[in-house]
Amino acid sequence: MERILATYRITAGESESRVRAEALAAEQSVEMPVAAIDDPRVLTEVLAQVRAIRPHAGDFEVVLAIAPETTGGEASQLANMLFGNCSLQPEVELVDVELPDGYQKAFPGPRFGIDGIRRLAGVEGRALTCTALKPQGTPVARLAELARTFALAGIDVVKDDHGIANQAYGPFAERVPAVQKAIHQANRETGGRTLYAPTFSGGPRALLDQAHIAKDCGVQLALVAPMLVGLPAFVELQVELDVPLVAHPAFAGAGRIAPPLLLGKLFRLLGADATIFPNHGGRFSYSKATCLGIAEAARKPWLGLRATLPVPAGGMTVERVPEMLAGYGKDSMLLIGGGLLSAKGKLLEKSREFVTAVRS
């Protein structure tokens, strides 16, 4: 079977490249001295192969061919084979992965994708708008009031801040029905179709309980941080919830995996219908090229998977809407949270300004 091709960037002298490449191939497959293996099948079918070594800006890149069978067709073992032990080597970075045709069938991919989110929100021909309920610690009644204001303004998606989870001051079972009810009421008043995306977090039992609560009150969107709940749990949530999943990047910067690969390609493979990422020029240090690379990886044709909606965020303001639209185009969702909440008593007006800026 055709192999998975994983590209790594190694900060080391080029004179070491062959030795380091072969060591990496062993580490990411058999995890023992190759000379000690006497099973021909393991050597030919299991051991990762060095496909290429090439210089890169004073360092070098290595392309490994990894046997798909070693991943077991499941998310945690795929991550393990791609970047398990070598993630403990600070000089190694995983920068890209190419999958053999057909391998993607082991994973769900986006069940709804950009088109599915558009249908739910009733939005065609333009970018979507999104905002966040924050800060954590805010009473449930106040969060519901904020959600109602955002919905009255016509914002397409209102999500929980990812720090709002299942704390004692805003438990999921109390918060989610209250916020969803407030948005339902606002939608009835305006004829709008604002969607609410609550944060799902915790262990498998907690996630299952939250899924039942969300279904009972009509939630149509979910916010999940794949690296916090775990990649396998993220995959299974897609089935349990049967609504579009918005992937949050929390903890996704803890390892040395290139953001376009992790937030764009891999989250997409595992089922993210939308992917949030820190836009350049905001609170985070991603470059413009990195951000555009994430958007491209999320949307470009790849293995027949549905496209994932890019969601640039992180300290954005209404004044930057024209620039973001020029950079990401209509197949994107612009997320402004604190930039709206800073308006305080004029929150409704500022939110409407955001909606108008995107729609016009």
Side-chain angles (χ1 to χ4, degrees), residues 241-293:
L241 289 171
D242 195 26
V243 300
L245 300 187
V246 180
H248 193 281
F251 203 55
R256 293 170 313 284
I257 303 178
L261 170 59
L262 182 59
L263 306 184
K265 294 175 78 171
L266 292 181
F267 280 8
R268 178 182 179 184
L269 176 70
L270 299 181
D273 297 284
T275 183
I276 298 172
F277 58 91
N279 194 31
H280 60 94
R283 301 198 313 271
F284 303 89
S285 58
Y286 278 11
S287 68
K288 182 177 181 180
T290 294
C291 294
L292 294 176

Side-chain angles (χ1 to χ4, degrees), residues 117-201:
I117 294 176
R118 284 190 177 284
R119 282 193 296 271
L120 285 172
V123 173
E124 294 296 336
R126 63 165 174 84
L128 287 86
T129 53
C130 179
T131 192
L133 301 175
K134 58 174 67 183
Q136 64 164 302
T138 303
V140 168
R142 175 57 179 161
L143 292 175
E145 181 185 341
L146 290 174
R148 171 179 164 79
T149 300
F150 288 138
L152 289 175
I155 290 177
D156 300 309
V157 173
V158 177
K159 75 171 190 68
D160 283 341
D161 184 59
H162 79 279
I164 296 176
N166 195 30
Q167 295 96 338
Y169 46 71
F172 189 97
E174 177 186 348
R175 183 186 78 255
V176 173
V179 172
Q180 185 63 72
K181 180 180 179 181
I183 288 178
H184 275 321
Q185 291 174 341
N187 284 341
R188 282 197 296 269
E189 291 180 36
T190 65
R193 291 166 65 172
T194 297
L195 305 173
Y196 171 44
T199 300
F200 289 76
S201 68

